Amino acid sequence: MRRWMIHLIMTVIGASLGVAVVPSFLKLFGWNKGILQYEVVDGVIGAIIFIILSFIFAGSMLNALKKIDSKISKMNMSKVVFNVIGIVLGLLVGVIGSVPLRFLDVPILSNVISFVFVLIMIYLGYVLFDKRGDEIAKVLFRKRREALATENTEPVVSQTPVKESSILLDTSSIIDGRILDVIKTGFISDKIIVPNFVILELQLISDSSDPLKRAKGRRGLDLVNELTKFENVDISQTDFKEIREVDTKLLKYASTTGSKLVTNDFNLNKVAEIQGVQVLNINDLANAVKTQLVVGEHINVQIIRAGSERQQGVAYLPDGTMIVIEDAAKLIDKTVTVEVAKVLQTSAGRMIFADLIKK
């Protein structure tokens, strides 16, 4: 668009100059006869010459316009206003101050020195407002601000918006699926964000040649579809195209918006903690809400398999907690009553050791 504007403007300038200049040029060489004596022809000649020049120098003109645009975009508008005010005031002071010099009736004083004096005042006004414009504005409007401050006796209410608390879901937490059950319970009232780049990663996983990965990816996409039915779930289109890794994008997103990151990825969890991003781990939540058993409590369990040590049997609670029972290796598939002997909390979860109660 700019290139065509340059061609148009150059054509208009060429036509105008053609009407004004070409007749004199033709007259100089004695060519102002016949059809060349009409202004329309002169304008067309000028327009043709300048449109040719516009095609030759269009690139240079476009580069110059880009540099001007860049400088204008970087200009401080308050400083520009102060500079203009300084120039105008300097011009007024210079003109008023040079009036007495004109009454001296001395040519060098009334003309040259007056002109130099006006230029000096313009320069001083420009420099003064360029360097001290902010201070001058504070001095001029200080009394006005003080008057307004005394008039406004009502308490000032802060208009700073409160940031909405939000939770950011990563790929592992979506594939895990338990976050959907947690949301259904209503325990999470914060805004839940699913970035679009996470959905794209789920799509790539669902297109994998590995059947297991493909199943996980499709499960994740189905869960995202279920999440969109909740009012507090938002699909964010925000992306960081300069970053390729999804985990790095998530950390950038969380640190930029102050969101909490939900993940089951151990490595991402550690990196997020190092970068100061708050992490919510579904595994930690699951361990926290498991049934609490105390030493000496009696429970009924079904022996599932033999343990790693001799004569041990292994059972599981409904929440998945493993129970190791002494002297129960021969009671597989039988329901027995056991007494809790020890409860251990490990990084992999909770483990319970129990003794068989013989009837």
Side-chain angles (χ1 to χ4, degrees):
M1 184 64 184
R2 287 187 177 184
R3 184 179 294 273
W4 289 110
M5 288 297 297
I6 290 174
H7 295 327
L8 178 61
I9 293 172
M10 291 290 287
T11 302
V12 174
I13 294 173
S16 302
L17 291 177
V19 173
V21 177
V22 171
S24 301
F25 182 79
L26 295 176
K27 187 177 180 180
L28 181 64
F29 292 93
W31 295 344
N32 56 338
K33 296 178 182 180
I35 195 173
L36 296 177
Q37 62 183 336
Y38 296 104
E39 290 184 351
V40 175
V41 177
D42 298 335
V44 171
I45 294 173
I48 293 173
I49 294 173
F50 270 75
I51 197 171
I52 293 173
L53 292 176
S54 70
F55 277 100
I56 296 174
F57 297 104
S60 301
M61 292 180 180
L62 287 174
N63 292 333
L65 288 175
K66 289 180 181 178
K67 291 181 180 179
I68 293 173
D69 289 345
S70 177
K71 289 183 178 180
I72 291 176
S73 63
K74 295 178 181 178
M75 291 175 66
N76 188 330
M77 290 308 299
S78 61
K79 186 175 287 293
V80 173
V81 173
F82 285 137
N83 292 343
V84 173
I85 294 174
I87 291 172
V88 173
L89 292 179
L91 178 61
L92 291 175
V93 173
V95 171
I96 295 172
S98 63
V99 170
L101 297 176
R102 297 182 181 277
F103 292 102
L104 297 177
D105 200 22
V106 179
I108 190 171
L109 292 177
S110 60
N111 296 322
V112 178
I113 295 182
S114 297
F115 179 72
V116 172
F117 179 74
V118 172
L119 291 180
I120 292 174
M121 289 298 102
I122 292 174
Y123 175 74
L124 290 177
Y126 172 82
V127 173
L128 179 63
F129 275 81
D130 183 64
K131 303 296 184 182
R132 303 290 184 179
D134 294 334
E135 297 179 15
I136 294 172
K138 289 179 181 178
V139 172
L140 292 176
F141 296 104
R142 181 176 60 187
K143 292 185 178 180
R144 176 62 178 169
R145 287 197 300 269
E146 292 176 353
L148 290 175
T150 55
E151 292 176 3
N152 297 332
T153 56
E154 297 182 359
V156 179
V157 180
S158 175
Q159 298 297 323
T160 304
V162 179
K163 286 188 176 180
E164 184 180 6
S165 179
S166 58
I167 295 176
L168 188 64
L169 302 185
D170 82 329
T171 310
S172 64
S173 64
I174 294 176
I175 293 176
D176 178 83
R178 287 178 290 178
I179 187 64
L180 178 61
D181 297 326
V182 175
I183 295 173
K184 286 180 179 179
T185 62
F187 278 97
I188 298 179
S189 59
D190 296 340
K191 181 179 180 181
I192 299 172
I193 300 174
V194 181
N196 191 55
F197 54 81
V198 170
I199 298 177
L200 293 177
E201 185 181 33
L202 288 171
Q203 182 181 0
L204 291 176
I205 296 174
S206 65
D207 292 336
S208 173
S209 57
D210 187 335
L212 181 59
K213 286 186 177 181
R214 186 165 59 248
K216 287 184 177 180
R218 291 176 180 176
R219 169 181 166 78
L221 292 175
D222 291 338
L223 189 131
V224 171
N225 190 38
E226 291 293 325
L227 288 174
T228 56
K229 298 178 182 179
F230 295 89
E231 294 182 356
N232 61 330
V233 176
D234 181 31
I235 305 298
S236 175
Q237 300 299 325
T238 302
D239 198 355
F240 305 93
K241 295 184 178 179
E242 70 280 5
I243 303 174
R244 296 184 59 184
E245 296 79 7
V246 174
D247 288 353
T248 309
K249 288 185 179 184
L250 285 166
L251 294 174
K252 179 72 173 180
Y253 195 121
S255 60
T256 302
T257 61
S259 303
K260 303 171 186 176
L261 178 61
V262 179
T263 180
N264 290 335
D265 189 325
F266 180 80
N267 294 327
L268 180 58
N269 193 325
K270 291 299 180 183
V271 175
E273 291 178 355
I274 293 172
Q275 296 188 7
V277 175
Q278 186 175 355
V279 179
L280 303 178
N281 194 304
I282 298 296
N283 292 328
D284 293 339
L285 176 62
N287 290 331
V289 298
K290 284 181 179 179
T291 304
Q292 298 296 324
L293 297 177
V294 296
V295 176
E297 186 174 352
H298 292 190
I299 55 175
N300 293 324
V301 295
Q302 183 181 13
I303 309 298
I304 303 298
R305 60 182 177 83
S308 58
E309 299 293 335
R310 183 180 179 184
Q311 300 300 323
Q312 285 183 343
V314 176
Y316 293 92
L317 293 178
D319 60 9
T321 302
M322 185 171 70
I323 302 178
V324 179
I325 305 158
E326 299 293 336
D327 300 326
K330 298 180 180 180
L331 300 175
I332 295 175
D333 294 333
K334 293 184 179 180
T335 301
V336 296
T337 302
V338 298
E339 180 181 346
V340 177
K342 186 187 299 183
V343 179
L344 294 179
Q345 185 68 45
T346 67
S347 58
R350 190 173 49 174
M351 181 181 294
I352 298 174
F353 292 89
D355 294 327
L356 184 65
I357 297 178
K358 298 180 180 180
K359 297 181 181 179

